Amino acid sequence: MTAQLIDGKMIAQQVRDEVAATVAKRTAAGKQKPTLATVLVGDRPDSQAYVKSKGKACEELGMGSVSHHLPAETSQEELEKLIKSLNDDKTINGILVQLPLPSHLNEERVLQLISIEKDVDGFSPINIGRLAQKGREPLFVPCTPYGCIYLLEKSGVKIEGANAVVLGRSNIVGMPAALLLIGKNATVTVCHSRTQDLPGTVRRADILIAAIGKTEMVRGDWIKPGAAIIDVGINSVPDATKKSGHRLVGDVNFNEAKEVAGFITPVPGGVGPMTIAMLMKNTLRAAEIQDK
Ligand code: NDP
């Protein structure tokens, strides 16, 4: 292996330790515990697991969490009423609506309603709009892309002036990751399902962020020697040697890419643990903003 492994698990733990230490100082000084409200509509098992792990992380870091689990048939009006009450609730610092919402609900209207000072997921149009504008700063950066950039910076990868390629243009990963890289003075190419010559484009990347959800699609011979690879993809493949019968792999063929890249994140243990760590960082930041 030539690439340096970017250990997301270890870096996420450092972020969590820093957050926990600041939270402990705040509570010792008599300040309110930073508190996250999660809102889950419906019974998707993956969403239930995500919300549960976010609540658990709050508890581990000395923060508060309040979970609202609403039935799948909840109306737009009922959901909006809950969001408004959380906006007004002084004991709540951050509001996270677990996506995707059931299809009868208008996600855009819900995200727009979250107070910008409590938008710890960073998905409100105001926060995203600020991310897209030169010279403006969002209050919160979406957690997964924030984690990707944090991993690059912690590993000493130079972003300024680099050619960066982002695979995927979703609202939650690809697009905000591209905007963050532009903000850090990279030259960015964003690829999607209609991009021509994906291998040729990826070969020019000093930094690659892969977020397409396609099992090991990026091959070793697509990688520029020495490039930094951040693999966001989480794909399940059958594996008879595992008790569960499956294992998780990324969007990049790790075994091939690690022989060519300069830096690489593993899956699991790369970007995954960063998402919740950055959510905790954002929730602490929300409490600090609301102190003022
Ligand atoms: P989406 O399905 O919302 O977006 C996928 C993007 O990839 C789209 O922009 C799509 O293009 C593009 N795409 C799909 N197929 C191809 C292809 N063959 N070639 C080029 N581009 C393609 O996914 P998400 O952004 O939500 O997630 C991406 C991956 O990241 C998933 O594996 C997901 O599980 C993982 N993930 C991991 C997280 C973590 O914490 N580690 C958090 C969030 C997601 P188009 O726009 O044209 O349709």
Side-chain angles (χ1 to χ4, degrees):
M1 170 153 170
T2 61
Q4 185 179 317
L5 194 73
I6 301 180
D7 187 345
K9 213 170 152 187
M10 187 193 76
I11 297 174
Q13 189 57 51
Q14 287 168 356
V15 172
R16 290 166 73 118
D17 291 345
E18 285 162 21
V19 170
T22 312
V23 169
K25 268 193 218 146
R26 283 177 58 89
T27 17
K31 288 188 180 160
Q32 182 183 303
K33 260 187 191 183
T35 298
L36 175 69
T38 57
V39 178
L40 170 65
V41 186
D43 295 311
R44 278 178 65 123
D46 56 344
S47 293
Q48 288 187 50
Y50 292 140
V51 163
K52 200 172 155 199
S53 54
K54 288 164 187 174
K56 188 166 162 258
C58 286
E59 201 181 302
E60 286 166 0
L61 273 52
M63 310 209 290
S65 77
V66 180
S67 90
H68 294 267
H69 189 174
L70 308 178
E73 58 278 10
T74 299
S75 69
Q76 182 78 23
E77 207 183 351
E78 286 167 317
L79 179 57
E80 290 189 7
K81 200 169 147 210
L82 172 62
I83 303 294
K84 283 182 194 153
S85 76
L86 294 171
N87 280 342
D88 294 340
D89 187 341
K90 298 251 181 304
T91 67
I92 299 295
N93 301 110
I95 302 171
L96 180 143
V97 176
Q98 187 64 43
L99 302 177
L101 289 170
S103 56
H104 68 281
L105 294 170
N106 183 330
E107 179 186 300
E108 194 184 350
R109 261 176 46 201
V110 172
L111 296 179
Q112 210 163 358
L113 205 59
I114 298 174
S115 152
I116 174 181
E117 298 205 329
K118 297 190 177 185
D119 176 34
V120 288
D121 241 351
F123 293 150
S124 89
I126 296 179
N127 269 321
I128 292 289
R130 285 189 182 172
L131 190 61
Q133 288 177 320
K134 198 175 174 192
R136 305 267 161 83
E137 287 286 333
L139 283 181
F140 302 101
V141 173
C143 302
T144 302
Y146 188 8
C148 294
I149 303 300
Y150 196 89
L151 288 177
L152 288 169
E153 289 184 328
K154 272 278 158 185
S155 310
V157 174
K158 190 165 180 269
I159 300 178
E160 179 155 335
N163 281 324
V165 170
V166 179
L167 301 186
R169 57 174 165 181
S170 72
N171 290 338
I172 61 166
V173 192
M175 193 55 82
L179 293 171
L180 279 167
L181 287 165
I182 292 171
K184 298 209 173 273
N185 299 319
T187 302
V188 180
T189 306
V190 181
C191 301
H192 45 76
S193 63
R194 256 73 113 226
T195 297
Q196 305 285 317
D197 188 21
L198 213 51
T201 308
V202 172
R203 268 183 211 116
R204 291 195 292 274
D206 303 309
I207 295 173
L208 174 69
I209 296 187
I212 49 178
K214 300 281 172 221
T215 302
E216 298 181 326
M217 189 170 137
V218 178
R219 309 301 304 255
D221 64 359
W222 297 20
I223 308 290
K224 180 175 175 179
I229 313 291
I230 304 290
D231 192 352
V232 186
I234 303 176
N235 310 290
S236 179
V237 294
D239 185 341
T241 67
K242 301 277 174 197
K243 217 167 123 191
S244 62
H246 65 87
R247 72 190 155 91
L248 297 179
V249 298
D251 289 342
V252 177
N253 185 313
F254 181 85
N255 285 330
E256 292 176 5
K258 74 179 185 349
E259 301 302 333
V260 192
F263 299 85
I264 190 164
T265 58
V267 176
V271 177
M274 293 303 291
T275 299
I276 290 189
M278 298 332 253
L279 175 67
M280 298 297 107
K281 204 169 157 66
N282 278 351
T283 305
L284 169 60
R285 179 168 156 75
E288 287 170 340
I289 290 170
Q290 289 155 42
D291 282 344
K292 290 173 190 157

